[in-house]
Amino acid sequence: MAKKNKQTWDLAPAPESTGHVQIKDRYDLFINGKFVKPAGGKYFDSINPATEEKICDIALAGKKDVDKAVKAARKAYDEVWSKMSGKDRGKYIYRIARLIQERAREFSVLESMDGGKPIRESRDVDIPLVAAHFFYYAGWADKLDYAFPNRKFSAHGVAGQIIPWNFPLLMAAWKIAPALATGNTIVIKPAETTSLTIMKLAELIKESGLPDGVVNVVTGAGETGAAIVEHPDIDKIAFTGSTEVGKIIQKSIAGSGKKLTLELGGKAANIIFEDAPINQAVEGIVNGIFFNQGHVCCAGSRLFVQESVYDEVIEKLKHRIETLIVGDPLDKNTDVGAINSEGQLKTIEHYLKVGKEEGNEFYESSCSIPKKGYWCRPTLFLDVAQSSILAREEIFGPVLAVQTFRTIDEVITKANNTEYGLSAGVWTDKGSKIFNLTTQMRAGVVWANTYNRFDPTSPFGGYKESGFGREGGLHGLEPYLKFE
Ligand code: ADP
């Protein structure tokens, strides 16, 4: 293993204050504009992954609660929302967007406390994008005829939406905003480890005056999600999560007539050519896999480096990961926060173990990590074989599998040799190489000389086992409409 670089500076802690944040001891379900207790009377703990301390109780919704939420959504659709003009729907969505902007700081802190992501990420990326999505789709609500000229269409009715834990509020925004803009009503379920910010969003939605039942939030784990999927009065399912659960959902609704969009796993290739701006590329790699703990479905978890610059890139990368600060998500200096849950940490540790047992050379940051909480040091696996588990399976942690290549054709073949196809990155000085590569990559998004850039106007979605359907942009309206 190469000699580890010493971190060259120490920064004094700069924790974000939490005084302005209000957290209740218990969060109930949000159904028909009211906060109601779950029929079964059960609650589960929401844990802060950085401290392992309990934050609050979250209601566990069962079939009866889901049924109640679907009925409320149907009633709101039939009696209010489907009759409202696009212009008026847009006003509500704008109001929600503005309220989110006003409370951006509170939402950022809560997102970091509940999910473990660094405050820098939630403050500078997640929450601004949440507001931007609501603003963007508010603009479409009264312009759908321009979005789809000369076509007749209508909303589906009630949309069931199930979201993961890596971008809790952002994934909620990606799903709620276009569904509302197109005139659907909603039953949404957050992931069991990250329900807090969505419950806060429910409070904000109530405050916005959105008619009762238009958005309903049910909390719980897989069984609650399955109850939404199986409910006979749901017209459309939008799911973001694992490929495994995506397949279960697809089977479960087969033949039911329900519409479906799936945004599933990824194993993105980040490709560095010898003519790339290397320092910029190294920063892009770090951003792509280590910031946000690798908890990103489009994380650049496979790195392909052209042989002639391999030594330079690896040396710089090792140096850079030694300077990453792993720790308190609420500290503004933190680069890598806490792993979202104990279960996810075990999954990552399993991959680290198997990767080492396979005999791969590896390099782990020597950074210190807090005693309590769920943490994983940024880790590189070098010269990984195409057949290695590290190059094939989604790890969802700060673990990078590095491979080499000589020619552009070789790297395209290698990069496409995966069951997934969500995203990819390319680093080169040559525009022609970028166009050649982007047209041949089987990935929904290909970033050039940057990584993990998001914008509400840009569609996002996958190929192959990464799912189907697009979210974001004009394309993101389509799955929420039925066309004649
Ligand atoms: P991950 O492995 O990243 O946690 P999952 O696919 O397990 O992703 O979870 C994503 C979302 O799907 C979560 O909200 C989870 O509660 C929900 N979920 C899990 N199992 C099911 C299921 N069988 N049907 C519907 N939703 C489910």
Side-chain angles (χ1 to χ4, degrees):
M1 208 194 289
K3 194 166 156 265
K4 290 182 175 177
N5 300 296
K6 273 257 167 295
Q7 192 171 312
T8 46
W9 62 85
D10 284 317
L11 298 171
E16 174 74 44
S17 69
T18 53
H20 58 294
V21 171
Q22 287 182 0
I23 305 174
K24 291 184 191 153
D25 291 340
R26 198 187 68 198
Y27 284 89
D28 290 319
L29 307 170
F30 182 60
I31 298 176
N32 206 22
K34 288 168 201 68
F35 290 93
V36 294
K37 292 188 173 34
K42 288 194 185 140
Y43 291 81
F44 59 95
D45 294 350
S46 187
I47 303 287
N48 179 337
T51 61
E52 296 177 53
E53 280 164 15
K54 178 175 163 179
I55 303 176
C56 59
D57 281 318
I58 302 283
L60 180 63
K63 276 190 177 167
K64 272 191 185 164
D65 304 297
V66 169
D67 184 51
K68 203 166 153 189
V70 174
K71 285 199 170 108
R74 175 63 60 193
K75 189 162 179 280
Y77 178 75
D78 289 342
E79 294 177 9
V80 184
W81 203 239
S82 62
K83 294 183 179 154
M84 197 180 280
S85 68
K87 195 171 162 200
D88 286 340
R89 285 201 310 272
K91 281 186 199 164
Y92 283 110
I93 309 172
Y94 274 125
R95 200 175 298 162
I96 293 169
R98 279 195 301 270
L99 286 169
I100 290 166
Q101 262 186 336
E102 278 170 21
R103 298 219 200 117
R105 224 174 123 209
E106 186 181 2
F107 274 111
S108 309
V109 170
L110 287 173
E111 201 71 309
S112 288
M113 282 174 79
D114 199 28
K117 66 172 63 196
I119 186 76
R120 221 175 49 208
E121 288 281 312
S122 40
R123 183 196 62 197
D124 298 347
V125 182
D126 292 52
I127 308 305
L129 276 173
V130 169
H133 265 83
F134 279 101
F135 276 121
Y136 174 74
Y137 281 109
W140 275 122
D142 63 346
K143 301 177 196 70
L144 297 175
D145 286 330
Y146 301 97
F148 306 105
N150 304 319
R151 294 176 76 184
K152 284 200 167 162
F153 53 82
S154 56
H156 287 300
V158 179
Q161 307 182 324
I162 298 165
I163 54 176
W165 46 259
N166 57 342
F167 288 86
L169 203 60
L170 185 56
M171 290 303 104
W174 278 25
K175 291 196 169 31
I176 294 175
L180 293 183
T182 46
N184 295 272
T185 58
I186 294 165
V187 176
I188 188 166
K189 188 194 89 63
E192 51 275 33
T193 56
T194 51
S195 308
L196 190 55
T197 44
I198 293 159
M199 294 320 299
K200 275 275 164 190
L201 180 68
E203 291 176 359
L204 182 151
I205 284 174
K206 190 171 167 59
E207 197 185 316
S208 76
L210 189 77
D212 291 349
V214 173
V215 174
N216 304 275
V217 185
V218 288
T219 41
E223 277 184 31
T224 314
I228 296 177
V229 171
E230 287 158 16
H231 197 288
D233 204 26
I234 292 265
D235 300 298
K236 188 222 152 36
I237 297 287
F239 173 79
T240 301
S242 62
T243 297
E244 189 191 345
V245 174
K247 285 181 183 174
I248 295 173
I249 292 177
Q250 208 170 3
K251 275 189 201 140
S252 150
I253 66 163
S256 69
K258 287 176 192 163
K259 296 284 174 241
L260 177 66
T261 40
L262 296 175
E263 201 261 90
L264 308 174
K267 194 73 195 171
N270 215 346
I271 301 167
I272 303 198
F273 286 96
E274 59 190 359
D275 57 6
I278 301 291
N279 290 341
Q280 194 184 325
V282 167
E283 207 47 40
I285 297 162
V286 168
N287 174 14
I289 184 70
F290 298 126
F291 290 173
N292 232 337
Q293 306 75 251
H295 291 347
V296 190
C297 12
C298 53
S301 53
R302 291 182 299 153
L303 172 65
F304 291 93
V305 189
Q306 197 154 21
E307 267 184 17
S308 47
V309 288
Y310 181 77
D311 289 344
E312 183 188 354
V313 169
I314 298 305
E315 199 195 317
K316 287 189 167 162
L317 199 52
K318 284 177 179 172
H319 184 262
R320 183 66 180 96
I321 67 171
E322 279 301 317
T323 64
L324 290 176
I325 299 171
V326 182
D328 182 5
L330 287 176
D331 192 317
K332 290 161 203 141
N333 296 319
T334 295
D335 299 301
V336 184
I339 300 302
N340 183 266
S341 64
E342 192 180 7
Q344 185 56 25
L345 181 58
K346 284 198 177 129
T347 303
I348 299 169
E349 284 172 345
H350 163 76
Y351 281 109
L352 291 173
K353 184 168 167 276
V354 177
K356 288 172 190 173
E357 281 168 5
E358 277 183 355
N360 296 293
E361 185 189 344
F362 68 98
Y363 183 87
E364 189 184 83
S365 162
S366 62
C367 64
S368 62
I369 51 175
K371 287 206 172 62
K372 275 218 132 187
Y374 313 128
W375 310 96
C376 179
R377 292 188 174 90
T379 305
L380 302 176
F381 280 93
L382 302 171
D383 252 331
V384 168
Q386 196 67 8
S387 57
S388 164
I389 194 168
L390 300 167
R392 286 185 289 110
E393 296 187 12
E394 186 177 44
I395 300 172
F396 232 66
V399 181
L400 180 63
V402 185
Q403 297 176 259
T404 58
F405 69 94
R406 288 185 185 166
T407 66
I408 186 163
D409 291 337
E410 178 193 350
V411 76
I412 290 169
T413 309
K414 280 181 166 172
N416 279 337
N417 183 7
T418 167
E419 288 162 9
Y420 297 109
L422 196 55
S423 59
V426 51
W427 299 83
T428 168
D429 213 15
K430 283 226 165 21
S432 57
K433 245 187 230 167
I434 292 172
F435 287 119
N436 181 2
L437 198 125
T438 47
T439 47
Q440 295 191 63
M441 286 298 300
R442 305 292 293 159
V445 179
V446 185
W447 286 289
N449 293 329
T450 186
Y451 206 85
N452 270 350
R453 289 260 162 208
F454 287 94
D455 189 284
T457 62
S458 173
F460 184 84
Y463 278 77
K464 300 189 272 187
E465 295 213 355
S466 291
F468 49 80
R470 293 292 177 264
E471 292 186 305
L474 184 64
H475 305 67
L477 294 166
E478 223 171 311
Y480 286 100
L481 292 169
K482 56 175 182 264
F483 293 88
E484 283 175 20

